[in-house]
Amino acid sequence: MRTTLLRAGSLAAAVLAGSTGVAAADDAVTGSAFGASAGASLVPGGKAATLDTGPLAASSSRGPATASVADAPLGGLVTAKALTSSVVPGADSVAAKAAAAEVTLPLLGPAAGRVPSIRLVSARCAAADGRVTGSSDLAGATLGRLGTLPAATAPNQRLGVPGVAEVIVNEQLQRYDGSLEVTALHVKLLGGELGRGDVKLASVVCGPAKERAPEAPPRPDAPRQVVVVPAGAPQTGDGSLAAEG
């Protein structure tokens, strides 16, 4: 019976340890990133066409840690000479970044009066110690009639053509679970003459961040115990109590 109880206790401890391990994995601070994606239902020349590239040059904290794609056409909606992304996990932290270089946006040509181009778009985020931060940059942006943008903009700046297309720069979305999604450039086709869909360039997600557990205060030295020995006890050496009985 004793052996059975020990085995049952060991089994319960193993199950508890396994459950704790799963919970720890699910509670990890995670991150992901991709260079570009395009999904749209287009109406070029009055003919319907569908495009769905999925995330290109995608990486995550679960792997792969880095990714790159050269000369990405994205179905003619967007072109980019290079797409890159990387995610660096740490102990209760993560950092992610993504970039697209030498970008052109043929899908916005009719609305902009020329094919918009951007030399470099990039986004980054980090989660650690209960905080999630993110930012993005655009360099060498030429957007024609859509407007002009500085290299660094405040989150969620919008421009475009009403009813046709909207361009969101430095899009930052706080998710319900506390994670942060940052997309350097998000083009939305609104269902007008160009069709309907989404194109994202340089997008990252980090979090949610876990607060660092407070450190336990140092334990004070245990107080010394004082033992009172009554007179005549054997410890006094006179043997008075030892002689009794």
Side-chain angles (χ1 to χ4, degrees):
M1 180 64 71
R2 185 177 183 181
T3 302
T4 302
L5 289 174
L6 286 175
R7 287 178 178 172
S10 300
L11 178 59
V15 171
L16 180 60
S19 300
T20 303
V22 171
D26 291 342
D27 200 31
V29 180
T30 60
S32 61
F34 61 84
S37 70
S41 296
L42 307 177
V43 194
K47 296 181 180 180
T50 301
L51 172 70
D52 186 3
T53 66
L56 301 177
S59 58
S60 78
S61 51
R62 304 179 192 276
T66 62
S68 62
V69 172
D71 294 323
L74 283 91
L77 296 180
V78 182
T79 65
K81 290 296 183 183
L83 304 174
T84 60
S85 74
S86 65
V87 177
V88 181
D92 296 334
S93 67
V94 72
K97 62 182 179 179
E102 302 300 333
V103 175
T104 66
L105 301 167
L107 80 163
L108 292 180
R114 57 176 297 178
V115 175
S117 62
I118 308 169
R119 188 169 70 250
L120 179 67
V121 294
S122 63
R124 66 197 62 82
C125 63
D129 299 336
R131 297 179 64 245
V132 185
T133 59
S135 63
S136 66
D137 294 294
L138 280 77
T142 304
L143 303 180
R145 289 198 298 257
L146 295 177
T148 59
L149 292 168
T153 65
N156 302 312
Q157 296 295 301
R158 286 172 164 80
L159 48 84
V161 179
V164 177
E166 181 181 47
V167 179
I168 307 171
V169 182
N170 191 17
E171 183 179 54
Q172 298 197 17
L173 302 175
Q174 194 79 41
R175 294 181 169 181
Y176 71 93
D177 63 355
S179 60
L180 178 67
E181 178 181 357
V182 181
T183 301
L185 191 72
H186 183 182
V187 179
K188 292 184 175 183
L189 302 181
L190 304 178
E193 60 191 56
L194 300 180
R196 182 177 298 277
D198 289 273
V199 175
K200 293 185 176 183
L201 294 172
S203 187
V204 296
V205 177
C206 289
K210 294 193 302 180
E211 293 187 12
R212 181 177 296 176
E215 296 182 0
R219 298 183 60 183
D221 294 336
R224 296 184 179 181
Q225 294 182 349
V226 178
V227 179
V228 179
V229 180
Q235 292 91 330
T236 62
D238 60 8
S240 57
L241 292 182
E244 296 179 1

